[in-house]
């Protein structure tokens, strides 16, 4: 399947972008593996005719928003996101109307229709930088992840009004499940994603985006790490840092934690997408143009 995928990639003049939560075989076949921020830059920069986006729907939409002349494919339309779904564009419009004059900061994990209503986008890798770029006398509405929003409040000392959304994957990590793993590996450093619950974040040595996890584990003198995020991240960590040990964050019922939406993508449906040039991301042009403005503001702040 990998040979077939790479042959089709050449024939279609395609680039394969894969999120850190994709399965190992897809990551290995991809041209670039990264977090939402890195993938957005790669999507904007590519000269390929086709972008096969091995991630979830809002990520492929972002690629189309920043590089509309490309054909953007997603392996399956079933690769959605419960967090993005929690923030409906109409409900956001109502929320904004209740808070006139505010600045709306949206985590990139939202639909194009939601992005189109915001002032600036952020990722978990740059959320603190984005919020710090807004004058301190401005009130901020932050959507859709309240755990990331709370973490940004802790980092910036600013009060944000938070949309009540969560990533159902990251809130499954509990203090009890992490305490058991930590007891089994007392010398390991705990690295947690900011979408985790505050109690879990408080137990971490480092809280950061998936891309920064790699940098942290690389520069740390520690030899073992407990990785409290979606377990696809371990493939990249083990591949790039083979001399270190990584343990997946457990839930109360399982020794690791997968996002079922991310895992809808397979080598088979990646091949089918390039064969059929579908499913393709199509966006209304007015939404795309409005959604581009807050993404470009974020990109202007750098990586
Ligand atoms: S891990 Fe959470 S935020 Fe990421 S795609 Fe899955 S449900 Fe959405």
């Amino acid at each position: 399947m990998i040979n077939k995928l790479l042959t089709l990639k050449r024939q279609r003049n395609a680039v394969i972008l894969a999120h850190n939560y994709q399965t190992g075989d897809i990551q290995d076949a991809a041209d670039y593996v990264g977090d939402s921020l890195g993938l957005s830059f790669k999507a904007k920069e590519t000269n390929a005719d086709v972008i096969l986006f091995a991630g979830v729907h809002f990520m492929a939409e972002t690629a189309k928003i920043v590089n509309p002349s490309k054909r953007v494919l997603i392996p399956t339309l079933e690769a959605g996101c419960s967090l993005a779904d929690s923030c409906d564009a109409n409900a956001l419009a109502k929320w904004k109307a209740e808070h006139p004059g505010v600045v709306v900061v949206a985590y990139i994990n939202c639909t194009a229709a939601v992005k189109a209503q915001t002032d600036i986008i952020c990722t978990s890798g740059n959320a603190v930088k984005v919020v710090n770029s807004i004058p301190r006398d401005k009130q901020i509405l932050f959507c859709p992840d309240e755990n990331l929003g709370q973490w940004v409040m802790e980092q910036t000392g600013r009060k944000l009004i938070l949309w009540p959304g969560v990533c159902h994957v990251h809130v499954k990590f509990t203090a009890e499940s992490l305490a058991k793993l930590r007891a089994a590996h007392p010398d390991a450093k705990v690295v947690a994603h900011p979408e985790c619950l505050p109690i879990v974040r408080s137990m971490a040595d480092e809280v950061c985006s998936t891309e920064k996890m790699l940098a942290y584990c690389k520069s740390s003198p520690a030899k073992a790490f407990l990785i409290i995020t979606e377990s696809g991240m371990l493939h990249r960590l083990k591949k790039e840092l083979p001399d270190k040990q990584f343990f997946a964050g457990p839930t109360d019922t399982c020794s690791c934690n997968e996002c079922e939406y991310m895992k809808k993508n397979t080598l088979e449906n990646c091949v089918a997408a390039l064969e059929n040039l579908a499913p393709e991301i199509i966006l209304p042009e007015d939404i795309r143009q409005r959604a581009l403005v807050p993404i470009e503001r974020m990109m202007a702040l750098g990586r």
Side-chain angles (χ1 to χ4, degrees):
M1 289 310 284
I2 287 181
N3 285 342
K4 205 166 172 185
L5 183 64
L6 297 181
T7 303
L8 274 164
K9 188 185 82 150
R10 278 192 299 277
Q11 288 169 351
R12 299 294 194 198
N13 188 25
V15 65
I16 302 175
L17 305 182
H19 190 267
N20 286 320
Y21 296 162
Q22 292 296 285
T23 54
D25 51 5
I26 294 178
Q27 291 191 33
D28 291 344
D31 296 289
Y32 178 79
V33 181
D35 65 357
S36 300
L37 184 60
L39 291 168
S40 303
F41 276 100
K42 288 290 172 190
K44 190 175 168 66
E45 291 159 3
T46 186
N47 291 320
D49 296 323
V50 173
I51 298 171
L52 175 61
F53 207 112
V56 293
H57 194 266
F58 73 80
M59 296 176 177
E61 275 189 341
T62 305
K64 185 68 182 176
I65 292 166
V66 298
N67 206 340
S69 65
K70 309 300 177 189
R71 193 190 285 260
V72 179
L73 307 175
I74 185 166
T76 168
L77 291 171
E78 290 180 5
C81 169
S82 59
L83 175 60
D85 290 347
S86 78
C87 190
D88 168 75
N90 291 330
L92 178 64
K94 191 162 167 272
W95 199 48
K96 279 174 63 178
E98 288 163 5
H99 299 88
V102 295
V103 176
V104 181
V105 178
Y107 187 26
I108 199 164
N109 299 29
C110 61
T111 62
V114 164
K115 288 184 176 80
Q117 295 192 50
T118 65
D119 295 296
I120 187 163
I121 298 298
C122 72
T123 68
S124 53
N126 65 11
V128 170
K129 191 193 232 182
V130 166
V131 166
N132 278 334
S133 74
I134 298 165
R136 287 194 84 84
D137 60 343
K138 287 282 182 189
Q139 179 70 68
I140 296 172
L141 291 186
F142 187 93
C143 66
D145 190 273
E146 67 178 0
N147 286 309
L148 175 64
Q150 282 164 3
W151 179 71
V152 172
M153 286 202 284
E154 292 161 18
Q155 302 301 305
T156 61
R158 291 180 73 161
K159 173 103 181 75
L160 313 180
I161 303 172
L162 303 178
W163 181 268
V166 297
C167 162
H168 76 287
V169 177
H170 284 86
V171 297
K172 281 192 193 142
F173 297 113
T174 65
E176 293 73 23
S177 64
L178 177 53
K180 276 188 205 159
L181 186 67
R182 204 168 53 174
H185 305 283
D187 296 331
K189 294 285 183 197
V190 178
V191 188
H193 194 276
E195 286 172 19
C196 292
L197 293 166
I199 182 75
V200 170
R201 294 199 309 267
S202 72
M203 297 165 72
D205 295 289
E206 179 70 5
V207 177
C208 58
S209 66
T210 52
E211 206 58 31
K212 289 183 181 169
M213 285 181 183
L214 186 68
Y216 173 81
C217 296
K218 200 173 193 171
S219 63
S220 168
K223 291 286 176 216
F225 302 87
L226 313 184
I227 303 299
I228 316 303
T229 191
E230 210 272 357
S231 58
M233 187 63 208
L234 272 82
H235 178 78
R236 183 148 175 235
L237 288 165
K238 288 177 178 174
K239 189 172 170 180
E240 297 201 21
L241 303 172
D243 296 335
K244 301 199 174 190
Q245 271 191 306
F246 300 97
F247 300 94
T251 67
D252 289 336
T253 54
C254 191
S255 60
C256 70
N257 194 1
E258 288 194 336
C259 172
E260 64 270 45
Y261 298 109
M262 285 281 180
K263 268 37 183 197
K264 293 279 183 200
N265 296 332
T266 61
L267 275 184
E268 285 75 12
N269 56 26
C270 285
V271 166
L274 281 181
E275 261 172 355
N276 304 326
L277 291 176
E280 182 177 357
I281 302 293
I282 308 280
L283 290 171
E285 183 56 15
D286 62 324
I287 296 269
R288 189 198 70 76
Q289 284 186 14
R290 281 163 47 213
L292 179 62
V293 175
I295 295 174
E296 285 191 327
R297 284 191 187 125
M298 171 188 77
M299 288 178 143
L301 293 176
R303 289 180 197 249

